[in-house]
C-alpha cells in the first residue's frame, strides 16, 4: 500500500467518524420533553380592524383544536367546519372589532393538551389581501393596490413579484414585516421598473423610502436573504404613500426579551428636553447644557454622532444614569463617558470619571444558546444603567454615542436618557425552565404553560435591579384556572434568580385563564409590586445544527390545565402544614410518589431549588416504590430561622403513551420532573 493510499484511507476514516459523530449528535438533539401544543403558522398573519378574517392554522400536537384565543379578548374566533365535518378545526373565522388598536397580539389555540404556544397576529388600519397564486415571475406578478397589506410566504429559492401603479413624485414607503411577527424570513425588498430592472434594494430589514421618478407600473420583488423559503417564511407587505415631510412609519413589532426592564416606574410619557434638529456631519459637536436631574431624548444621527451634555454637580452627589435605545427596538449599542472639566482660562483639562456600557444579563446566558450552562435567554441589554459618583464639584461633561454608529446613518435611531437620584427598584421577566437533559441536548424549546393534571411546571424568574436595590423579592401569581395553584420561590437578597412553581391537582378539570405574575419587595418604608413579563422562544429549536433561537416577550401569561393526559409522575409531601425544625437541626421529609407510566432505571437524581436549601447535595429518588424520604442537615446548610419554600427537580426517561386511544404505542422520552412545593419553617428554639 502506497503512502498516498494510506492517506486516502485516513481521510475516509475521518470523514466516516465525523458523519457518525454528527449523526449521533443530531439524534440526541431531538426534542426531549413531553409533547406540547405549538401553533407555528397562521394565514393570514393579521387583519384590518373592523373586519372578519378566515384564518388557517398549522402546528405541532394541535389535537381537538376547537378554540382560538387572542391576548386581547375583544378579538374572538369561531371554528369553520369543512365539508360539514366539525372535527376539522384548522380554520377559524376571526372577528376584529373596529375599536381594537393597531398592534401585535398573541394568537393561541386550546387543544387536548392545553393552550398552545403563540403566534403573532397583527391588527392594522389598511385593507388586507392574501396571495392565492404563485407570483414567481414578472409575467405572473400579483397586482397590489397601494396602501394595502398583502399576506404571503416567501417561495423557496424563488422571488415573489408584485405590480404596483404609481405617479411621478409620489413618495412610497415599502415595508415588509417578517422578524417582528415571528417569521423566519430575512426579506430582501427590491423596487424595480416595469421591466424588472432594479431601482433600489433593501437587505437589512429596513423600509424602503423612495420618490417615484415617473408615472407607470413598478415591480416590488421579495426574496429571502439566503433564498430560503416555505410556510414559516411568512411576511406582510405594504406599499404606502406618504407626504414628503411625513415621518416614516413601520409595522408594529414584537418586543425583545431585553425590553422587559424598560421603562422605569413613574417615567413621564414625554421627556423634559428634546435634542434640537440634528446637525450635518460637517458641523461641530455642540455641548448641550442640562440641569440634573434630567430626562432627555435625542438620536444617534448623523453617522458617528456623539451627543455631549454639560452639567454642574457637587462633590459627594450620587446620580444614576439610564439610557434606553436597544430596548426601544433599535439596532443600537449606547456607550457613555463622563468627564470632569477643569478649566483654567481657555485651557481645559478633562479627567475621566466613569464609563457606562451594557446592562449585564441577570443570569449568565447559555454560552452557545443551547446547552444549559445558563438559560437560552439573555435578560441583559446593550443599553445602560449605572451609578455616577461625583468626586469633585464643578462642570462635568457626558458624551453619549452608539458604539457602532459609524456604520449607521438613520435619524430613527433615537435614545432616551434619564439621570436621577437613586430610586431603588427592580424589573422582572420569566420563562419556562429548561435544563440540559442528556449529553448533546441542545434544544431551546418554546414551552406553553400547559399543565397536565397532577404535574408541576417551573418558571425561571430573573430580576434587573435598579439604583442599588439589593433586597429579597417575593413572587406570586394570580388568576389561575381551577385546580391550579402557584408557589413562588423568593429571589434572595443580592441575587437575581427565583422560581415560580405551577401545580395542577390530579383531579383538575380542563380550563384556561390569563394569569398575572408579580414580584413584591420592601423598599424604604413601602412595599412595592412590579409586574413580571413572560418570554418564550418564537420557534422551538430541537436541532442545534439548524438555527439560532429567537426568544421574545409575550403580551400576556395564559395558563391552562388538561386532564386528557396526566403527569407521568407526581412527587409531593403528605404534610398539609409546613414542616418545622429548629435552627441547626435535622429535617426528614416524607414524600409520596405517584407513577403513571413505566420509567427506565430504578431511580433518578434530583436537586433542590429554594433559598437556604439549594446548596444541598443531589438526592436519589426511587422509581420503584410509592414512598420515600429526604433528609437535610441544617447545621451543614447554615439555614437561618425563617419561612422557606423549596422544590425538587430532575429528569427521568418515561415510557410515554403517544395517544390515550393507542396505549400500545409508546416511546422513550425524557421528562422534567418537578415536585410540588414544600413549606418549611426554621425556628430559633426547639422544634414544636
Amino acid at each position: 500500500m502506497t503512502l498516498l493510499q494510506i492517506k486516502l484511507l485516513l481521510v475516509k476514516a475521518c470523514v466516516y467518524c465525523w458523519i457518525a459523530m454528527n449523526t449521533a449528535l443530531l439524534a440526541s438533539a431531538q426534542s426531549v420533553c413531553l409533547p406540547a401544543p405549538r401553533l407555528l403558522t397562521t394565514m393570514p398573519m393579521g387583519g384590518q380592524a373592523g373586519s372578519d378574517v378566515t384564518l388557517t392554522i398549522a402546528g405541532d400536537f394541535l389535537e381537538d383544536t376547537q378554540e382560538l384565543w387572542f391576548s386581547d379578548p375583544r378579538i374572538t374566533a369561531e371554528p369553520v367546519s369543512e365539508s360539514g365535518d366539525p372535527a376539522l378545526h384548522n380554520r377559524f373565522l376571526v372577528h376584529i372589532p373596529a375599536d381594537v388598536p393597531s398592534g401585535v397580539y398573541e394568537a393561541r389555540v386550546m387543544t387536548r393538551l392545553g393552550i398552545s404556544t403563540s403566534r403573532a397576529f397583527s391588527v392594522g388600519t389598511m385593507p388586507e389581501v392574501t396571495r392565492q397564486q404563485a407570483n414567481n415571475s414578472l409575467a405572473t406578478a400579483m397586482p397590489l393596490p397601494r396602501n394595502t397589506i398583502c399576506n404571503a410566504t416567501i417561495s423557496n429559492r424563488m422571488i415573489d413579484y408584485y405590480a404596483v401603479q404609481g405617479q411621478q413624485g409620489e413618495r412610497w414607503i415599502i415595508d415588509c414585516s417578517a422578524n417582528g411577527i415571528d417569521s423566519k424570513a430575512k426579506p430582501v425588498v427590491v423596487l424595480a421598473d416595469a421591466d424588472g430592472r432594479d431601482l433600489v434594494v433593501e437587505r437589512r430589514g429596513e423600509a424602503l423610502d423612495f420618490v417615484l421618478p415617473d408615472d407607470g407600473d413598478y415591480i416590488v420583488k421579495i426574496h429571502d436573504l439566503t433564498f430560503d423559503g416555505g410556510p414559516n417564511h411568512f411576511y406582510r407587505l405594504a406599499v404606502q404613500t406618504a407626504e414628503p415631510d411625513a415621518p416614516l412609519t413601520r409595522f408594529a413589532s414584537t418586543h425583545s426579551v431585553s425590553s422587559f426592564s424598560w421603562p422605569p416606574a413613574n417615567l413621564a410619557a414625554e421627556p423634559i428636553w428634546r435634542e434640537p434638529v440634528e446637525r450635518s456631519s460637517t458641523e461641530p459637536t455642540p455641548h448641550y447644557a442640562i440641569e440634573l436631574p434630567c430626562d432627555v431624548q435625542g438620536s444617534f444621527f448623523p453617522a458617528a454622532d456623539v451627543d455631549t451634555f454639560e452639567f454642574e454637580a457637587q462633590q459627594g452627589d450620587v446620580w444614576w444614569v439610564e439610557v434606553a435605545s436597544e430596548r426601544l427596538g433599535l439596532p443600537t449599542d449606547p456607550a457613555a463617558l463622563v468627564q470632569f472639566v477643569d478649566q483654567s482660562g481657555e485651557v481645559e483639562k478633562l479627567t475621566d470619571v466613569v464609563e457606562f456600557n451594557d446592562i449585564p444579563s441577570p443570569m449568565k446566558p447559555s454560552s452557545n444558546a443551547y446547552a444549559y450552562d445558563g438559560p437560552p435567554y439573555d435578560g441583559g441589554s446593550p443599553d445602560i444603567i449605572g451609578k455616577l459618583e461625583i468626586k469633585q464639584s464643578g462642570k462635568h461633561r457626558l458624551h453619549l454615542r452608539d458604539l457602532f454608529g459609524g456604520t449607521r446613518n438613520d435619524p430613527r435611531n433615537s435614545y432616551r436618557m434619564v439621570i436621577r437620584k437613586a430610586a431603588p427598584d427592580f424589573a422582572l421577566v420569566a420563562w419556562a425552565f429548561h435544563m440540559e437533559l442528556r449529553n448533546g441536548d441542545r434544544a431551546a424549546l418554546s414551552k406553553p404553560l400547559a399543565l397536565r393534571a397532577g404535574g408541576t411546571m417551573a418558571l425561571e424568574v430573573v430580576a434587573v435591579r435598579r439604583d442599588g436595590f439589593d433586597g429579597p423579592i417575593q413572587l406570586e401569581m394570580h388568576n389561575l384556572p381551577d385546580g391550579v395553584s402557584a408557589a413562588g420561590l423568593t429571589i434572595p437578597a443580592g441575587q437575581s434568580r427565583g422560581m415560580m412553581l405551577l401545580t395542577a391537582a390530579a383531579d383538575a378539570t380542563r380550563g384556561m385563564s390569563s394569569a398575572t405574575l408579580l414580584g413584591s419587595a420592601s423598599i424604604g418604608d413601602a412595599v412595592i409590586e412590579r409586574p413580571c413579563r413572560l418570554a418564550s422562544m418564537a420557534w422551538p429549536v430541537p436541532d442545534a445544527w439548524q438555527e439560532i433561537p429567537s426568544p421574545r416577550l409575550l403580551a400576556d401569561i395564559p395558563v391552562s390545565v388538561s386532564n386528557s393526559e396526566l403527569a407521568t409522575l407526581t412527587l409531593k409531601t403528605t404534610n398539609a402544614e409546613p414542616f418545622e425544625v429548629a435552627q441547626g437541626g435535622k429535617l426528614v421529609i416524607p414524600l409520596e410518589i405517584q407513577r403513571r407510566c413505566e420509567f427506565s432505571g430504578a431511580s433518578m437524581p434530583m436537586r433542590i431549588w429554594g433559598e437556604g436549601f439549594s446548596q444541598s447535595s443531589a438526592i436519589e429518588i426511587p422509581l420503584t416504590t410509592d414512598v420515600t424520604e429526604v433528609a437535610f442537615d441544617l447545621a451543614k446548610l447554615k439555614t437561618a430561622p425563617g419561612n422557606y419554600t423549596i422544590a425538587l427537580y430532575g429528569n427521568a426517561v418515561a415510557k410515554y403513551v403517544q395517544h390515550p386511544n393507542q396505549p400500545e404505542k409508546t416511546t422513550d422520552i425524557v421528562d422534567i420532573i418537578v415536585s410540588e412545593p414544600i413549606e418549611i419553617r426554621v425556628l430559633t428554639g426547639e422544634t414544636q
Side-chain angles (χ1 to χ4, degrees):
M1 181 179 293
T2 66
L3 181 59
L4 178 60
Q5 289 174 319
I6 294 174
K7 288 182 177 180
L8 288 173
L9 286 175
L10 287 173
V11 169
K12 287 182 179 180
C14 290
V15 170
Y16 294 148
C17 181
W18 184 90
I19 292 173
M21 289 173 61
N22 282 279
T23 301
L25 284 172
L26 287 170
S28 67
Q30 295 171 358
S31 178
V32 286
C33 293
L34 291 178
R38 295 186 174 96
L39 177 61
L40 299 181
T41 63
T42 67
M43 181 55 71
M45 292 72 70
Q48 182 182 18
S51 70
D52 292 343
V53 178
T54 299
L55 201 70
T56 302
I57 66 169
D60 294 334
F61 306 107
L62 301 185
E63 304 169 17
D64 303 330
T65 56
Q66 300 183 18
E67 301 166 86
L68 180 63
W69 294 79
F70 293 88
S71 53
D72 188 320
R74 290 173 292 187
I75 307 175
T76 59
E78 58 192 50
V80 176
S81 299
E82 296 182 4
S83 304
D85 186 353
L88 299 174
H89 291 301
N90 71 329
R91 298 177 72 230
F92 293 84
L93 182 62
V94 179
H95 308 285
I96 311 172
D99 62 345
V100 176
S102 296
V104 177
Y105 301 88
E106 310 288 353
R108 301 179 180 89
V109 285
M110 188 66 173
T111 73
R112 178 181 71 85
L113 295 175
I115 197 70
S116 74
T117 58
S118 71
R119 188 52 71 222
F121 184 82
S122 299
V123 174
T125 58
M126 290 187 286
E128 302 209 4
V129 296
T130 300
R131 187 189 63 193
Q132 302 295 335
Q133 298 178 340
N135 58 335
N136 302 132
S137 68
L138 190 61
T140 60
M142 173 183 167
L144 180 63
R146 291 165 298 176
N147 301 308
T148 300
I149 295 173
C150 179
N151 296 270
T153 58
I154 294 180
S155 305
N156 194 29
R157 295 191 296 275
M158 294 287 187
I159 300 174
D160 297 343
Y161 289 78
Y162 297 89
V164 188
Q165 291 184 335
Q167 298 176 351
Q168 182 182 20
E170 265 186 343
R171 181 190 177 197
W172 281 7
I173 296 174
I174 307 174
D175 200 2
C176 186
S177 180
N179 182 61
I181 56 170
D182 296 342
S183 175
K184 291 187 178 183
K186 297 177 178 60
V188 174
V189 182
V190 182
L191 178 62
D193 63 18
D195 296 322
R197 292 185 293 264
D198 295 355
L199 299 175
V200 61
V201 181
E202 174 54 56
R203 296 183 175 86
R204 301 164 300 172
E206 300 292 337
L208 276 179
D209 191 344
F210 189 74
V211 177
L212 301 187
D214 300 295
D215 293 349
D217 292 337
Y218 289 84
I219 299 297
V220 176
K221 307 176 192 177
I222 305 292
H223 67 82
D224 185 72
L225 184 64
T226 59
F227 284 91
D228 201 355
N232 52 17
H233 286 61
F234 45 81
Y235 61 89
R236 286 163 59 81
L237 173 67
V239 179
Q240 303 177 63
T241 57
E243 294 299 321
D245 57 349
L248 191 152
T249 58
R250 303 205 61 191
F251 283 115
S253 174
T254 57
H255 299 287
S256 65
V257 176
S258 64
S259 65
F260 83 93
S261 59
W262 180 264
N266 304 316
L267 181 71
E270 295 294 328
I272 297 173
W273 181 90
R274 291 180 184 273
E275 185 179 14
V277 175
E278 287 283 0
R279 67 196 183 282
S280 72
S281 58
T282 60
E283 292 181 274
T285 302
H287 294 170
Y288 300 120
I290 58 174
E291 293 184 0
L292 304 187
C294 71
D295 179 357
V296 306
Q297 180 172 311
S299 66
F300 299 115
F301 180 80
D305 178 43
V306 178
D307 286 346
T308 302
F309 302 89
E310 285 188 349
F311 56 89
E312 296 287 335
Q314 301 302 311
Q315 182 178 1
D317 285 352
V318 177
W319 298 93
W320 286 84
V321 179
E322 181 162 3
V323 178
S325 185
E326 185 271 344
R327 289 177 291 171
L328 304 178
L330 300 169
T332 52
D333 189 349
L337 172 65
V338 179
Q339 295 176 313
F340 175 72
V341 182
D342 185 2
Q343 188 162 4
S344 299
E346 297 183 359
V347 178
E348 283 187 348
K349 179 182 178 183
L350 301 178
T351 304
D352 292 354
V353 177
V354 66
E355 188 172 0
F356 298 115
N357 214 314
D358 300 350
I359 301 171
S361 177
M363 291 179 61
K364 177 184 176 296
S366 176
S367 57
N368 60 6
Y370 302 93
Y372 200 70
D373 58 346
Y377 296 86
D378 187 347
S381 169
D383 285 346
I384 293 168
I385 299 177
K387 182 165 66 172
L388 169 60
E389 297 180 276
I390 304 300
K391 306 296 185 182
Q392 302 178 68
S393 297
K395 182 187 294 185
H396 289 71
R397 195 171 287 162
L398 185 149
H399 309 273
L400 181 61
R401 63 191 179 97
D402 176 6
L403 281 178
F404 300 96
T407 64
R408 297 187 267 256
N409 193 39
D410 191 337
R412 292 170 296 163
N413 287 340
S414 62
Y415 62 82
R416 183 93 174 256
M417 180 175 70
V418 179
I419 304 179
R420 58 179 178 258
K421 286 291 188 181
D425 208 338
F426 60 93
L428 299 172
V429 68
W431 45 70
F433 175 72
H434 175 77
M435 62 186 296
E436 185 178 6
L437 301 181
R438 59 188 180 192
N439 292 334
D441 167 35
R442 289 178 137 191
L445 302 179
S446 49
K447 298 182 180 181
L449 303 188
L451 289 93
R452 289 169 168 82
T456 296
M457 188 172 184
L459 294 179
E460 205 161 29
V461 185
V462 300
V464 162
R465 297 175 179 270
R466 273 193 174 89
D467 302 9
F469 171 65
D470 207 29
I473 302 172
Q474 310 298 324
L475 304 173
E476 55 187 39
M477 207 165 186
H478 304 289
N479 304 328
L480 296 167
D482 292 340
V484 177
S485 59
L489 277 60
T490 300
I491 300 178
Q495 299 184 31
S496 59
R497 177 181 183 256
M499 305 298 297
M500 174 59 72
L501 305 179
L502 293 170
T503 299
D507 59 354
T509 57
R510 184 178 185 270
M512 198 281 285
S513 67
S514 184
T516 57
L517 179 54
L518 300 171
S520 63
S522 296
I523 300 180
D525 298 328
V527 175
I528 66 167
E529 284 189 343
R530 294 290 177 255
C532 179
R533 300 289 303 273
L534 187 66
S536 178
M537 294 293 161
W539 293 88
V541 181
D543 185 347
W545 299 97
Q546 296 298 315
E547 62 183 294
I548 297 173
S550 53
R552 67 169 177 88
L553 289 182
L554 302 179
D556 57 349
I557 307 178
V559 178
S560 72
V561 59
S562 63
N563 54 10
S564 64
E565 288 184 10
L566 298 180
T568 59
L569 184 147
T570 298
L571 185 63
K572 62 181 181 179
T573 69
T574 56
N575 239 31
E577 299 297 324
F579 291 91
E580 294 188 346
V581 59
Q583 182 182 9
K586 296 185 184 298
L587 174 64
V588 177
I589 298 178
L591 294 174
E592 180 182 277
I593 305 171
Q594 187 172 2
R595 301 180 307 280
R596 300 183 179 90
C597 68
E598 295 181 14
F599 289 88
S600 298
S603 66
M604 64 174 169
M606 303 193 80
R607 299 196 64 84
I608 310 296
W609 279 321
E611 182 185 9
F613 292 82
S614 59
Q615 300 304 314
S616 302
S617 301
I619 298 169
E620 288 290 329
I621 299 296
L623 293 172
T624 55
T625 63
D626 297 332
V627 295
T628 189
E629 60 183 28
V630 296
F632 298 100
D633 185 345
L634 272 65
K636 183 177 179 181
L637 295 175
K638 299 180 181 180
T639 305
N643 297 325
Y644 297 90
T645 302
I646 68 169
L648 285 66
Y649 71 100
N651 63 80
V653 179
K655 301 287 185 180
Y656 174 72
V657 177
Q658 296 184 31
H659 197 282
N661 296 332
Q662 299 173 321
E664 71 282 357
K665 292 188 177 181
T666 63
T667 184
D668 288 349
I669 194 163
V670 183
D671 187 19
I672 296 177
I673 307 294
V674 180
S675 76
E676 293 188 9
I678 302 169
E679 304 289 337
I680 300 170
R681 185 176 297 137
V682 180
L683 309 174
T684 55
E686 296 294 326
T687 304
Q688 302 296 311

